[in-house]
Structure formats: C-alpha cells, structure tokens
Amino acid sequence: MKKIFVTGIGTDVGKTIASAIVVEALQADYFKPVQAGDLDNSDTHKVKKLVSNPKSQFHPNSYALHTPMSPHAAAEIDGLTIQLDKIKLPETNNHLVIEGAGGLLVPLNEEDTILDLIQPNYKVIVVSRHYLGSINHTLMTIWILKEQGFNVSVIFNGDEHKTTEGIIKKMTEVDVIGRIDDEPYFDTMVIKEYAERFREKLEML
C-alpha cells in the first residue's frame, strides 16, 4: 500500500485541497500528524467534508496544538515538546495520505523539521502555487527532497502560469500530476472531478 506525503512550498498553497483530491482518487486514508490551530475546523475536518467515498478513514492527529503558529512555537505555548517517536502512523491496510504542516523545513522542535517525518518509502507530492518568489521556493523544496532520494511529483495549484510551470518542470524533471484551478468553491463534486482527472497518475506513483 502506498504512503503519500503531501508537502507544500509554504503556508496556504493548497495542501489540504490537494490532499482531499488524492484521498478521493485512491480512496485512501488520511492522517495529519501535527495540527496547529483551528482545532474545531482542522484540516482533518476539512478533508473529511470534501471526501465522499465510503472507504477512506480519517485518523486523529498525533499532536493537536491550539495556536496557529509554527508547530515548535505552538507546542511551547501548550507546554509541550513535539517528539518524533510520539508520532505514530495509524494502522491501516489502505493507502495513506499524510499531510505536512507549512513547508518542508518548518520546525517541529529545536532539532527536527517536517522533512524528518518523511520516510524513505514515502512518495512525496509537492504542492506549488504561483506567487512572486514561488519558483525559488518550489525549486528549493524539490531539490532538497531529490537530494534525499525521495520519489517526488508536483501538483500546481491556481491559475495557469506557463513560464513558471515550464521552468520548474525543465529544471527539476519531476512528474506533474496536474493543476488545480482557482475554483469558485470546492465541494465533494469538484473534488471528485479532480480525483478522476488525477487518478491515473496517482495510481502510478
């Protein structure tokens, strides 16, 4: 069974929507190890609302922190220290989609980052959204992952930007799963449409 880690080039680039699409496409389970803030409407809640297949299971966070900050800082406010050995993958016989928090080098504590959550056998999807500086952030993210030997692919999120997407593809040679348009809204039907569009490439990961 596949374990797919969804990371982003920064915060608010569309990891949760992308995760919902991957979960729907593969009828996979979903796990967000660390949630910081918005506990009443967490990313797990959001993905669960967007996924309509009957197979997917949604597993509780290892750490549910109260403040919307970098996990290391949010944990300190809660009087905690995030420990990697306390982050246990849920037991499942299904594919598992794991969503990171923020970008790849977001600190979990004084030593570890989101990158340290990614195991060698994981497939990694980088979500890239166009903004001034996003090429740099995307290339750095992908190059770090490739240097570590990970299987990396990309989902672009937002309106098409040919020059940006073109140079990223050329300089990284990673597979592009597809692009999520700036939709007026996302609901189960929209997620299902993207799931059908991306399914073949996701199944090949």
Side-chain angles (χ1 to χ4, degrees):
M1 290 293 172
K2 296 184 180 75
K3 291 181 175 60
I4 299 173
F5 196 98
V6 178
T7 190
I9 63 170
T11 303
D12 294 330
V13 296
K15 292 188 303 297
T16 302
I17 292 294
S19 294
I21 292 168
V22 179
V23 167
E24 185 66 53
L26 299 177
Q27 296 191 32
D29 285 10
Y30 172 86
F31 174 52
K32 176 136 184 165
V34 180
Q35 173 75 33
D38 296 325
L39 298 185
D40 291 332
N41 188 31
S42 69
D43 291 339
T44 305
H45 288 102
K46 292 171 185 170
V47 173
K48 189 173 184 178
K49 288 176 186 173
L50 291 170
V51 168
S52 54
N53 81 79
K55 185 177 178 182
S56 296
Q57 299 292 314
F58 303 88
H59 300 279
N61 313 114
S62 294
Y63 287 92
L65 309 169
H66 289 86
T67 309
M69 296 176 68
S70 174
H72 80 289
E76 185 176 350
I77 290 170
D78 284 0
L80 302 169
T81 299
I82 294 174
Q83 301 176 51
L84 289 189
D85 61 2
K86 297 285 180 66
I87 297 175
K88 306 285 189 186
L89 283 189
E91 293 185 9
T92 177
N93 294 318
N94 196 8
H95 300 304
L96 182 64
V97 174
I98 307 157
E99 183 182 348
L104 199 60
L105 297 183
V106 165
L108 296 171
N109 51 45
E110 293 184 356
E111 296 179 353
D112 303 309
T113 69
I114 293 295
L115 179 60
D116 294 298
L117 295 177
I118 307 176
Q119 299 301 311
N121 62 319
Y122 292 5
K123 314 295 184 183
V124 184
I125 295 175
V126 174
V127 181
S128 176
R129 185 175 182 87
H130 172 69
Y131 54 81
L132 189 62
S134 67
I135 296 174
N136 178 51
H137 295 158
T138 305
L139 294 180
M140 285 195 300
T141 299
I142 294 171
W143 284 344
I144 288 169
L145 288 163
K146 290 186 80 171
E147 282 177 2
Q148 299 293 319
F150 290 111
N151 177 308
V152 187
S153 53
V154 172
I155 291 176
F156 290 109
N157 182 33
D159 291 335
E160 184 177 23
H161 203 278
K162 289 183 179 179
T163 57
T164 295
E165 294 175 23
I167 196 66
I168 289 168
K169 290 180 206 174
K170 184 172 184 179
M171 295 184 75
T172 64
E173 298 182 333
V174 294
D175 289 331
V176 177
I177 292 168
R179 183 167 45 79
I180 305 166
D181 293 320
D182 265 335
E183 303 286 352
Y185 60 87
F186 288 94
D187 61 10
T188 56
M189 292 306 298
V190 176
I191 293 297
K192 191 177 288 188
E193 287 174 11
Y194 279 101
E196 290 170 1
R197 195 181 305 175
F198 293 177
R199 182 174 292 115
E200 184 176 352
K201 287 201 170 182
L202 290 168
E203 288 176 342
M204 292 171 63
L205 288 179

